[in-house]
Amino acid sequence: MPDSVEAGAMNHAIFRVARLHRMLAGQLLRRVGLHPSQELVMMQLWDRGPQRQTDLVRFLGSDAATMTRTIRRLENAGFVRRRPSTTDKRVTIVEPTAASNALRNEVEQVWMDLETSVTEGMTPAQQAEAIEVLDLIEKSLARATSQDI
């Protein structure tokens, strides 16, 4: 490890793992015509059905601008459609299309392949411990981001 990052060994490890995870996810998702994080939107829609765009932002921990771009790209690819709410014209409802429903099994397989790659060589106990540690890291980061800096 470079001397300049020695004081932040955990930060460096998280950065390396996140970069490689996103790279592998991108490679696997490319097979089905998606980019990283688009599969999360699709999984949410497949599991919960049509939703308000603002709910997708909240459920996925995104921001409105990023979600708008993601939805637009998915719409251009034919995987979702947007329509105004029948009860509130200010609200946009996002729903999966038949084309995206046909991808569901493939996306689920990509997700399983990614999980297999992530956990390769780990025992079930190590996997559980890693999830526990990552949960603690997530909570620490969530607390830090909610504070005024």
Side-chain angles (χ1 to χ4, degrees):
M1 178 181 331
D3 292 340
S4 60
V5 296
E6 200 167 297
M10 181 70 72
N11 295 326
H12 194 248
I14 290 170
F15 170 79
R16 290 188 333 265
V17 168
R19 182 178 53 81
L20 288 169
H21 185 271
R22 186 166 178 85
M23 185 186 313
L24 180 57
Q27 289 172 0
L28 294 172
L29 287 166
R30 208 174 352 258
R31 298 188 312 211
V32 296
L34 295 175
H35 296 281
S37 77
Q38 289 179 336
E39 86 279 12
L40 298 174
V41 172
M42 296 312 311
M43 289 172 164
Q44 185 74 20
L45 292 171
W46 291 327
D47 288 347
R48 296 179 185 241
Q51 295 174 52
R52 298 180 318 163
Q53 191 165 320
T54 55
D55 291 335
L56 289 169
V57 167
R58 189 169 34 90
F59 289 142
L60 296 174
S62 183
D63 60 78
T66 300
M67 185 59 67
T68 297
R69 282 190 305 274
T70 300
I71 297 298
R72 187 179 312 119
R73 289 176 181 142
L74 288 168
E75 188 176 37
N76 290 340
F79 297 136
V80 301
R81 100 179 103 254
R82 290 185 285 184
R83 60 176 169 80
S85 169
T86 57
T87 58
D88 185 345
K89 296 300 179 196
R90 298 169 297 172
V91 173
T92 300
I93 304 295
V94 181
E95 57 190 6
T97 63
S100 77
N101 289 330
L103 284 180
R104 185 173 184 168
N105 289 337
E106 292 177 72
V107 170
E108 289 171 353
Q109 184 60 53
V110 163
W111 199 248
M112 287 188 290
D113 293 347
L114 184 59
E115 181 82 4
T116 298
S117 294
V118 167
T119 59
E120 184 179 349
M122 295 174 73
T123 66
Q126 289 170 322
Q127 291 176 38
E129 184 178 356
I131 290 168
E132 187 177 319
V133 170
L134 288 168
D135 186 52
L136 288 172
I137 291 169
E138 180 184 17
K139 287 176 182 169
S140 294
L141 291 171
R143 277 192 305 273
T145 58
S146 67
Q147 298 171 359
D148 290 329
I149 297 175

